[in-house]
Amino acid sequence: MKKELIYFFILTCSACNPSKDSEVQIVERMPVDVRNEYYISNRAPLQPQQFIKLPVGSIQPEGWLKTQLELQQNGLNGHLGEISAWLQKEGNAWLKTGGQWGWEEVPYWLRGYGNLAYLMQDPAMLKETKFWIEAILNSQREDGNFGPLHQNDGKQDFWPNMIVLWIMQSYYEYSKEPRILEFMSKYCDYQLSVPDGDFLASYWENSRGGDNLWSVIWLYNRTGNEKLLELAEKIHKNTANWTKSTQLPNWHNVNVAQCFREPATYYVVTKDSSMLQASYNVQSLIRRAFGQVPGGMFGADENARIGFFDPRQGTETCGFVEQMASDEIMLQITGDPWWAENCEDVAFNSYPAALMPDYKALRYLTSPNHVVSDSKNHHPGIDNHGPFLAMNPFSSRCCQHNHGFGWPYYSEHLVLATPDNGLAAVLYSACQAKAKVKGDVEVTLQEETNYPFEEAIRFTLTTPQTVEFPLYLRIPSWCKNASLAINGQSVSTKLTPGKYARINRTWNNNDEIVLNVPMEISTRQWRVNKNSVSVDYGPLTLSLKIDEKYVQKDSKETAIGDSKWQEGADASAWPSYEIYPASAWNYALVTNEPITVQRKAWPENNNPFTLENVPLEFKAKGRIIPDWKIDEYGLCGVLPYENAKKSDKVEDILLVPMGAARLRIASFPTTEK
C-alpha cells in the first residue's frame, strides 16, 4: 500500500494546523459538530458522517470518464439484457412468481445499468430501468417480502434483495418516487419479523449483511423510524464476524472487498470505535498477507490461499468494483483520504484492464503479473476451475452482471457535500457538479482535467450570486509539492500531503481554482514477494509494455458450464478473445538506471486505457531472466529469486500505466546494470 494503514478516530475539530493565509487552511477531517442543511445525512443518534453523497444525477462526468460510461452503454452492460438468459423477461422470477431465472443476476445488472441510465439520460435505458423497478415494487407481498422466493435449506435467501435495496436508493435519489420509502420500510418490517435462526443463515447473505445494514441507515436518515435501529442491531448480530484480529470469516476475494466495511458501518450506529478499527484491521490483514502487490487489491483468485500470494494471483472483476464501492462508503464514514486514494488505485490501475477496450467482454480474473489470457483451466494455479482468464462476454454469471456499477458509482462520488454546507472534491476527474451550498444557493462546480494522466486540475465556479462557503480539495499523499492558485493568484499556504485544503471565501461567478499535483517517479518494494519492485508515477502504477496478440474465439464454446444465454443470442456479435504476449516479458528492472517519462498526444477517442492510446510512456532498462517462464499451470511463473541468473545484456524497455495493459508485469524482479 502507498502508506501504512493507521486506525482513525473521528476528530471533532474543524481545522487542524490552520495556515496564516486566512483563505486557505489545512485540515485533517470535516467538522462533525454541524449538520448540512440541504442534503440528508446521518441523524441522531447515529455517528455524524464526514462526507455526504449528493443525490444521483447531481454530477455529470466528462472527459475520459464519460467515455468509459459511453463504452459501457454500448458494450456488455448496456446490452446484457439482450443476451443473458438470466435477464430474459420470459419466465423471469423477478417478473413472475415461479419463474426460472431468479437470483442475484437481475439485481447485479440493474444496479449498474440503472445508475448508468441516470447519468447518460438515455430514454430507452431509463424506460428499461423503470420497467424492472416497477416489477420489483409490484412483487412485494403482504408480509413485506418481495422478489423470487429463493431459498437455501428451506430458508429465505436475503442476499439478492440486498442489492435491490441499493437499486431502490439510487432510484429514489434520482426520481423522489415516494413508493420507494414505503416499499423499503415494509420490507424492513418483514426482516424484523424473521426469527434470528432463519435470518442471514446461508453463506453469501451471512457474509454480506453489511450491504443490508448500509440500506437500513440510508432509510433511517429519511424516515426517522426507530425500529430501523433495532433492525440494524439484528443485522449485525446475524452477520459473519468481521471483527477478529487475526482471522476472517472466509477468504473469498469479493466477500473481503465487500464485507470488511460491515463493522465500520455498524460503528455509525453504535459509535463504538473498536468497530471502526476492525474494518481497518481487515483491510490491513488481507493486504499484509496477500496484498503485497500493486493495483490496490490482493491476490485471492476465488479464495485467498496460503502459499498463493505471488503477483500472478488475481482478483475477480467483481472484487474490483466492490472494493471501489467500499472505499467510497468508508470515505463517507471516516473522511480518511486513504480511502479515496485506494479507490483511485483500483480504478486507474486494476479495473480498466479487466475489460476489453470496447467493453464487450471481460475476464473473470486479472492479475498484476498477467502474461497469458487464454481459455484454459489453470487450476490449481488459480483457485477456479474453468476458462477464467479469457475475455469472454459469456462467462461467468457474477462479473458479467455485476461489473457495471463500478464507473457509475465512482462518478457519483467525485464531489461530496460536507457537514458545514460546503463541497469537497475527493476523487479527481472532469465533471460538472450542481449542488446547494451555504445560503441555499445552487452552484455549479466545473472540473476540467485529464488526471491521472496530467497534473493540473482546474475548477470553475458558476453561481447566480455572491456566496460564502468552504470548498475542500484532497491533497494526495504521494504529492510532495502540490500548489494552489485562485483566480491566477498563487496561494502561499503549504499544502500538506494526505490532508485537505479548505478554501473558505466569498465566491463570485466564474471564480477559478487550479490545483497542481506534480507527479514523480517512485518505487515500492514488496518484501513478501522476493523484494520485487513496482514503479509509480503519482497515482498510476506502471507495467512493462508487452505487445498483445488477440485471438478471436467463439464465446459459447469457451464459456463455463453455468453460463446461460438467451436462445438465439448471436455469439458472433459478442466474441471472446484470448491474448498472448508477442514480445518478451521476463525482465528484471535495472534499478540503478533512471526512468524517464515521455508524453504523447491525448487520444482522439478520449480513451487512455489502451496500449495504442495511453498518453504516457516511460523509458527504463531491463535484463532478461531466462528461467522465468510460463509455469506448469500455464500461468506467468512466480517471481524468481533475487539471485536468479540474468542476461548480461541490458536492454531498453518501455513502461506504461498498468490500467492500459491487458498483459502486464507490474511487480518486477530487480537487478543492477
Side-chain angles (χ1 to χ4, degrees):
M1 290 179 286
K2 292 186 177 177
K3 71 173 186 175
E4 293 292 327
L5 280 176
I6 300 174
Y7 290 148
F8 163 71
F9 296 91
I10 293 293
L11 300 178
T12 57
C13 63
S14 64
C16 302
N17 303 319
S19 72
K20 294 180 181 179
D21 191 314
S22 61
E23 203 167 58
V24 178
Q25 296 173 315
I26 303 304
V27 303
E28 294 192 17
R29 299 291 184 271
M30 303 302 105
V32 294
D33 55 349
V34 290
R35 181 179 169 86
N36 192 288
E37 299 175 44
Y38 312 111
Y39 296 106
I40 295 172
S41 60
N42 290 348
R43 65 164 73 205
L46 302 181
Q47 169 66 41
Q49 62 201 84
Q50 290 275 305
F51 290 116
I52 303 151
K53 180 178 172 291
L54 297 173
V56 173
S58 302
I59 300 171
Q60 291 299 314
E62 298 178 344
W64 66 257
L65 181 54
K66 184 177 181 180
T67 297
Q68 305 308 303
L69 294 168
E70 290 170 344
L71 288 167
Q72 181 175 319
Q73 179 183 12
N74 295 320
L76 192 61
N77 180 248
H79 292 274
L80 199 58
E82 303 164 17
I83 54 179
S84 168
W86 303 96
L87 306 185
Q88 63 189 340
K89 295 183 169 106
E90 182 67 30
N92 197 296
W94 287 97
L95 303 178
K96 178 183 178 181
T97 301
Q100 178 181 358
W101 313 101
W103 193 45
E104 67 183 5
E105 292 80 14
V106 165
Y108 261 167
W109 164 76
L110 187 58
R111 175 166 58 173
Y113 183 89
N115 283 55
L116 181 62
Y118 309 145
L119 287 169
M120 306 307 288
Q121 285 295 292
D122 180 272
M125 293 182 69
L126 289 169
K127 181 179 179 181
E128 184 73 1
T129 299
K130 188 173 182 181
F131 168 84
W132 287 95
I133 287 175
E134 288 291 338
I136 294 171
L137 289 172
N138 291 331
S139 76
Q140 190 163 47
R141 296 177 281 281
E142 189 64 32
D143 64 0
N145 199 3
F146 68 88
L149 287 169
H150 189 86
Q151 295 184 334
N152 288 304
D153 297 326
K155 299 176 182 179
Q156 166 74 29
D157 183 352
F158 292 90
W159 160 236
N161 289 11
M162 295 184 199
I163 314 169
V164 171
L165 295 181
W166 285 37
I167 294 167
M168 294 302 181
Q169 290 162 217
S170 291
Y171 185 63
Y172 178 81
E173 291 178 15
Y174 174 74
S175 69
K176 297 297 186 290
E177 169 57 63
R179 289 180 297 159
I180 300 300
L181 299 186
E182 299 169 8
F183 172 87
M184 291 179 65
S185 296
K186 190 173 179 181
Y187 177 66
C188 287
D189 286 342
Y190 165 73
Q191 288 190 309
L192 275 170
S193 73
V194 177
D196 280 5
D198 296 335
F199 188 57
L200 307 183
S202 61
Y203 176 73
W204 298 113
E205 60 182 345
N206 182 250
S207 295
R208 300 173 178 180
D211 281 32
N212 203 150
L213 181 58
W214 185 245
S215 295
V216 167
I217 291 172
W218 182 93
L219 185 61
Y220 173 73
N221 287 331
R222 284 154 182 80
T223 66
N225 185 349
E226 294 187 357
K227 285 185 178 180
L228 294 170
L229 301 180
E230 180 184 342
L231 178 57
E233 297 282 351
K234 177 176 181 174
I235 291 170
H236 176 71
K237 181 174 65 174
N238 288 284
T239 296
N241 185 356
W242 294 93
T243 68
K244 295 180 180 179
S245 59
T246 58
Q247 63 185 116
L248 303 181
N250 59 77
W251 295 84
H252 183 269
N253 83 96
V254 181
N255 281 349
V256 176
Q258 181 175 359
C259 304
F260 79 89
R261 60 180 156 76
E262 191 277 338
T265 308
Y266 188 57
Y267 156 77
V268 171
V269 178
T270 66
K271 302 182 181 180
D272 179 356
S273 62
S274 68
M275 293 291 106
L276 186 59
Q277 293 178 30
S279 287
Y280 274 86
N281 180 63
V282 176
Q283 185 82 350
S284 177
L285 179 62
I286 189 71
R287 280 159 175 76
R288 291 199 312 270
F290 300 98
Q292 294 295 295
V293 294
M297 294 300 298
F298 44 89
D301 306 326
E302 184 82 12
N303 298 281
R305 298 170 292 160
I306 296 299
F308 291 85
F309 44 75
D310 187 86
R312 67 92 173 268
Q313 308 306 140
T315 303
E316 287 183 40
T317 303
C318 281
F320 294 147
V321 295
E322 294 290 358
Q323 179 71 49
M324 290 164 61
S326 291
D327 290 340
E328 291 151 4
I329 288 173
M330 290 294 291
L331 182 62
Q332 292 177 62
I333 293 172
T334 71
D336 187 346
W338 190 91
W339 299 107
E341 293 195 8
N342 195 72
C343 188
E344 287 188 344
D345 199 358
V346 178
F348 301 157
N349 298 311
S350 291
Y351 180 47
L355 298 148
M356 280 290 288
D358 63 3
Y359 278 60
K360 291 186 176 180
L362 57 81
R363 62 186 166 205
Y364 189 67
L365 296 175
T366 300
S367 309
N369 284 3
H370 196 141
V371 300
V372 175
S373 190
D374 62 15
S375 304
K376 294 179 181 178
N377 178 8
H378 295 278
H379 183 82
I382 57 175
D383 191 32
N384 303 82
H385 294 269
F388 288 117
L389 298 187
M391 293 286 189
N392 191 319
F394 283 65
S395 293
S396 61
R397 286 168 55 182
C398 58
C399 295
Q400 267 69 7
H401 294 84
N402 190 35
H403 76 279
F405 86 107
W407 286 132
Y409 272 48
Y410 186 84
S411 302
E412 293 168 14
H413 289 82
L414 297 175
V415 178
L416 301 172
T418 59
D420 53 356
N421 296 315
L423 296 175
V426 292
L427 301 171
Y428 293 124
S429 186
C431 68
Q432 277 193 29
K434 289 187 177 182
K436 286 189 175 183
V437 295
K438 190 175 180 180
D440 198 18
V441 178
E442 184 175 82
V443 301
T444 299
L445 189 66
Q446 172 88 41
E447 184 175 348
E448 298 174 276
T449 185
N450 286 326
Y451 178 92
F453 300 96
E454 72 175 32
E455 300 169 337
I457 306 166
R458 308 164 192 84
F459 298 92
T460 303
L461 186 76
T462 302
T463 175
Q465 65 189 65
T466 299
V467 60
E468 180 184 357
F469 70 91
L471 174 65
Y472 296 83
L473 304 178
R474 177 179 60 85
I475 311 304
S477 66
W478 47 259
C479 186
K480 299 176 183 177
N481 297 298
S483 63
L484 186 64
I486 301 174
N487 293 330
Q489 298 295 312
S490 297
V491 171
S492 61
T493 304
K494 173 67 175 175
L495 303 182
T496 307
K499 297 187 180 181
Y500 299 94
R502 182 181 190 265
I503 310 170
N504 191 38
R505 61 178 270 127
T506 300
W507 301 91
N508 296 297
N509 192 42
N510 292 325
D511 275 350
E512 294 182 345
I513 310 100
V514 177
L515 174 65
N516 271 291
V517 287
M519 300 178 189
E520 299 178 359
I521 293 171
S522 61
T523 59
R524 283 178 287 170
Q525 187 179 61
W526 308 104
R527 295 184 182 276
V528 170
N529 275 318
K530 299 170 184 170
N531 288 317
S532 57
V533 163
S534 294
V535 182
D536 298 319
Y537 185 67
L540 298 171
T541 298
L542 309 183
S543 162
L544 177 70
K545 185 177 182 181
I546 303 170
D547 293 339
E548 299 171 348
K549 178 184 177 183
Y550 287 77
V551 178
Q552 185 170 326
K553 295 287 184 179
D554 185 300
S555 292
K556 289 189 175 180
E557 289 183 4
T558 57
I560 62 172
D562 70 347
S563 296
K564 306 292 184 184
W565 296 90
Q566 292 179 24
E567 186 176 348
D570 183 3
S572 66
W574 299 92
S576 289
Y577 289 92
E578 297 179 332
I579 314 173
Y580 296 94
S583 60
W585 56 265
N586 50 336
Y587 283 97
L589 181 70
V590 177
T591 55
N592 59 345
E593 283 287 313
I595 299 173
T596 57
V597 60
Q598 303 177 105
R599 295 189 177 274
K600 299 161 60 180
W602 187 257
E604 291 185 8
N605 68 359
N606 218 17
N607 181 12
F609 291 109
T610 68
L611 289 186
E612 296 75 21
N613 295 334
V614 66
L616 297 172
E617 286 188 345
F618 300 78
K619 288 184 176 181
K621 301 286 187 181
R623 292 166 61 191
I624 288 283
I625 303 178
D627 291 335
W628 190 21
K629 302 176 180 178
I630 301 297
D631 75 355
E632 66 271 29
Y633 305 122
L635 298 167
C636 173
V638 297
L639 286 162
Y641 284 99
E642 295 170 80
N643 62 356
K645 181 176 175 57
K646 285 104 179 163
S647 168
D648 292 333
K649 182 181 179 182
V650 175
E651 301 180 40
D652 293 327
I653 58 174
L654 286 178
L655 310 180
V656 294
M658 64 184 284
R662 272 72 187 169
L663 299 184
R664 63 251 283 257
I665 294 292
S667 283
F668 288 91
T670 61
T671 185
E672 293 187 352
K673 190 169 181 178

